[in-house]
Amino acid sequence: MAIPVGEQMSPLPLHPLRRSLVLCASLLSVALAAGCTSAPGEPNGPSTPESSTRQQRKHTSETSAHAEERLGKQVEEALGTEEIGDNDPLFVEAGLERVSDGFHTVPELTRGRSYRLSVVCAGKGKIILSMALQNPVHRTMACDGVPLRRRITVSAAKVKIDTEGMPGATGMVAWRIDKVDR
């Protein structure tokens, strides 16, 4: 059909259903445009996985650093290692580690002498304490902040003491070795 030149075109009346569809499409376009103009990190804005992951890691590391500091103080207080002086003749060694790292020590102990090993774990889960003595010892400990104290008499040239966190265990573990006064 040809439209004669010079005649004006008049818009066709829209059917009510078409009018609703046009209105919905217009609103959807406006909503999408508004969502795309929001800044990253805003509730309606596009997410940036890199920055949100960094922010989450930063928050998690700040939280875990604070928790580690608190748990570290707790286990040091439980063993009395927060202020050890060099003038204590019975003190041999002490240390503090994350449960995930565990501790591994081969202390210089005198054969035939008795010592007291104290180990405490605070956090959640359990650890395995291993002592390579004449009769090896493997003991599961809860990370409940309660110290385990064990008297050991050295009969081997070297003694190796280790801890390992069980799956899901987190927190801090500390140890202390003292000579037993005869």
Side-chain angles (χ1 to χ4, degrees), residues 20-99:
S20 296
L21 288 174
V22 169
L23 180 62
C24 285
S26 299
L27 290 174
L28 183 59
S29 299
V30 170
L32 287 173
C36 292
T37 58
S38 297
E42 288 183 6
N44 294 328
S47 65
T48 53
E50 199 174 297
S51 67
S52 64
T53 302
R54 236 182 287 131
Q55 287 175 346
Q56 184 179 10
R57 267 192 239 131
K58 182 179 177 185
H59 176 70
T60 303
S61 65
E62 287 173 358
T63 303
S64 63
H66 178 70
E68 285 178 354
E69 183 179 340
R70 181 180 51 80
L71 292 172
K73 286 180 183 179
Q74 180 183 343
V75 294
E76 286 179 328
E77 287 174 6
L79 296 182
T81 58
E82 66 275 8
E83 293 182 20
I84 298 175
D86 291 335
N87 57 354
D88 185 351
L90 300 179
F91 174 73
V92 177
E93 75 171 35
L96 173 69
E97 294 291 339
R98 290 181 183 94
V99 166

Side-chain angles (χ1 to χ4, degrees), residues 107-115 132-134 151-159 161 177:
E108 293 184 28
L109 305 177
T110 306
R111 193 180 236 176
R113 175 130 191 158
S114 293
Y115 297 87
L133 303 166
Q134 184 174 4
R151 185 179 177 138
I152 56 176
T153 301
V154 179
S155 58
K158 286 192 175 186
V159 174
I161 305 168
I177 301 173

